[in-house]
Amino acid sequence: ESIYWSPRQREIHGWDPDEPVSLDAFISLVYPEDREWLLQSILHAHHPDSDGLWSVEHRIKRRDGSVRWLTSRSQTYFEGEGEARRPVRTIGVNRDITEYKAAQQERDRAEAALRESEAHLEEAQRIAKVGSWTWELASNKRVWSKELFVLLGLDLNLPPPHQDAQEHLYSPESIVRLKESMQHSIETGIGNTIEIERVYEGKPSTWLLARTEAQFDAEGQVIALSGTVMDISESKLLQLQLLQAQKMESVGLLAGGIA
């Protein structure tokens, strides 16, 4: 049995140029948690009933204590037929992917942190009854948060409707204010805040506070609008009740004055 390792293969595993190579010595460098299944995969690739293909991703722990990630691929060739079939030669390559794995793990951590952040934001919006949105002008692409769909009573599985398709959602006066607000921000780059009334068939309206801001490119041109929508129905009701109470108080004072 003869095993040849190229200089680069020896360098990856931290072996001296003239150090003898054996399967046992190789297995001894495999990371402990990967050792058993890796050995079984090698034995399977050398089994007469297999096609001889071997492709794995595993770790090694070199003598200096460093851990490296490798991808290993090989093809085993056989001679003979039936019970006489036996492996005679294996040719393979190893590739050190440690840096790639580190970058992948960093991406995974960043994606996990982003998902957690998005979950916190979604929960915060739900509690505060605030939805958010973005509208890219050139592509007409619109992105809405989950809570915005909820606030407007729209199906979460549908895409955000374009502006013209939103007109049935609001009172006529609110539609006018909304269009003027959007156009003003596009033309001037100045954000604004308006109150709009979401109307429903067969149930009370809700009141929303809509804030809009412009986003600019490097030349200072408006390329997108973004904003928030907050449910202010409760505070609007309190305002109306306070106004009604003030009116009643005024009427009482007037009646007292006349008396």
Side-chain angles (χ1 to χ4, degrees):
E1 179 178 300
S2 174
I3 300 177
Y4 167 75
W5 273 15
S6 69
R8 176 56 180 157
Q9 171 83 339
R10 290 174 175 272
E11 181 183 337
I12 289 174
H13 287 78
W15 279 11
D16 295 334
D18 299 325
E19 187 171 355
V21 179
S22 68
L23 178 59
D24 290 341
F26 161 68
I27 292 298
S28 70
L29 290 183
V30 175
Y31 199 76
E33 294 179 6
D34 297 346
R35 193 172 295 158
E36 181 59 30
W37 68 260
L38 184 71
L39 178 58
Q40 292 302 317
S41 71
I42 293 173
L43 294 176
H44 179 268
H46 287 77
H47 193 277
D49 293 336
S50 78
D51 60 6
L53 291 174
W54 187 63
S55 179
V56 297
E57 184 178 289
H58 65 96
R59 292 165 291 181
I60 60 171
K61 186 173 183 179
R62 305 200 307 183
R63 293 164 182 163
D64 61 6
S66 63
V67 176
R68 312 296 294 179
W69 276 94
L70 309 180
T71 56
S72 300
R73 294 180 174 84
S74 70
Q75 174 68 63
T76 296
Y77 298 91
F78 299 85
E79 283 184 352
E81 299 291 338
E83 295 183 358
R85 191 169 189 258
R86 62 186 183 87
V88 294
R89 181 177 57 179
T90 298
I91 298 177
V93 295
N94 280 332
R95 181 183 180 190
D96 188 332
I97 59 168
T98 305
E99 293 183 2
Y100 167 77
K101 290 293 290 188
Q104 184 182 54
Q105 290 170 353
E106 183 61 32
R107 287 195 301 270
D108 291 343
R109 285 192 291 268
E111 290 174 359
L114 178 59
R115 287 192 297 270
E116 183 178 0
S117 176
E118 289 174 344
H120 287 321
L121 176 59
E122 185 175 301
E123 182 65 8
Q125 289 195 357
R126 185 191 66 80
I127 294 171
K129 294 184 178 181
V130 176
S132 58
W133 58 272
T134 300
W135 174 23
E136 296 177 4
L137 302 181
S139 64
N140 206 24
K141 178 182 178 182
R142 298 168 190 264
V143 178
W144 285 14
S145 71
K146 177 181 178 181
E147 188 61 23
L148 183 52
F149 282 92
V150 174
L151 288 177
L152 296 178
L154 300 179
D155 189 344
L156 289 168
N157 297 314
L158 297 178
H162 290 180
Q163 186 167 325
D164 292 342
Q166 297 180 39
E167 293 192 359
H168 71 285
L169 302 176
Y170 309 106
S171 67
E173 297 82 3
S174 296
I175 293 170
V176 172
R177 284 199 299 273
L178 188 59
K179 286 185 174 180
E180 289 177 347
S181 169
M182 294 287 191
Q183 192 61 35
H184 180 264
S185 292
I186 292 173
E187 293 177 354
T188 66
I190 300 174
N192 51 70
T193 301
I194 60 172
E195 292 184 2
I196 52 179
E197 183 183 11
R198 169 67 166 105
V199 295
Y200 298 91
E201 186 175 348
K203 65 177 184 178
S205 301
T206 57
W207 282 91
L208 306 170
L209 186 69
R211 303 181 186 275
T212 301
E213 290 188 357
Q215 299 179 13
F216 307 88
D217 61 14
E219 286 72 39
Q221 299 297 313
V222 177
I223 58 173
L225 299 181
S226 61
T228 59
V229 177
M230 175 185 292
D231 188 335
I232 58 169
S233 300
E234 292 183 7
S235 62
K236 194 74 172 177
L237 178 60
L238 290 175
Q239 288 178 4
L240 293 174
Q241 290 174 342
L242 177 59
L243 181 60
Q244 183 66 23
Q246 290 173 340
K247 288 182 178 179
M248 294 300 293
E249 183 181 359
S250 299
V251 170
L253 290 174
L254 178 61
I258 293 175

